[in-house]
């Protein structure tokens, strides 16, 4: 199945792109997809445990099962004061 991945905030600068596409097997989890993104963009490994992940407009846990055409968004940790 094919899913799209959008990078937000400084993840765009680190990956030098705003979006990529992944071809994944059926029943792939969001966590597995995140690992596939890190394989493609190793610069993101340092933020792996603090990356916020959404599918569509909802944040989802790593065990969320993806579907054909899903749009994944990856965000760096939120900071503020």
């Amino acid at each position: 199945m094919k899913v799209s991945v959008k990078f937000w905030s400084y993840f765009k600068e680190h990956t030098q792109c705003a979006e990529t596409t992944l071809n994944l097997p059926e029943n792939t989890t969001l966590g597995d997809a995140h690992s596939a993104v890190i394989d493609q963009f190793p610069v993101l490994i340092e933020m792996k445990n603090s990356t916020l992940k959404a599918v569509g407009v909802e944040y989802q846990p790593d065990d969320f099962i993806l579907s054909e055409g899903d749009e994944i968004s990856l965000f760096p940790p939120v900071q503020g004061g």
Side-chain angles (χ1 to χ4, degrees):
M1 75 179 156
K2 189 178 280 192
V3 299
S4 62
V5 180
K6 292 192 175 203
F7 301 108
W8 297 93
S9 186
Y10 60 81
F11 280 9
K12 281 194 244 183
E13 288 129 35
H14 287 335
T15 61
Q16 298 181 356
C17 65
E19 186 173 347
T20 192
T21 302
L22 297 175
N23 289 307
L24 302 167
E26 294 293 322
N27 297 315
T28 296
T29 65
L30 180 56
D32 292 337
H34 187 208
S35 293
V37 169
I38 290 172
D39 288 345
Q40 188 174 353
F41 300 97
V43 68
L44 298 178
I45 189 76
E46 292 178 22
M47 285 82 61
K48 182 178 182 180
N49 293 330
S50 58
T51 298
L52 300 173
K53 298 174 277 290
V55 178
V57 297
E58 298 287 330
Y59 289 110
Q60 298 294 348
D62 281 342
D63 62 354
F64 180 85
I65 303 293
L66 297 169
S67 298
E68 172 73 30
D70 276 346
E71 181 181 275
I72 300 167
S73 293
L74 299 180
F75 303 91
V78 177
Q79 298 177 353

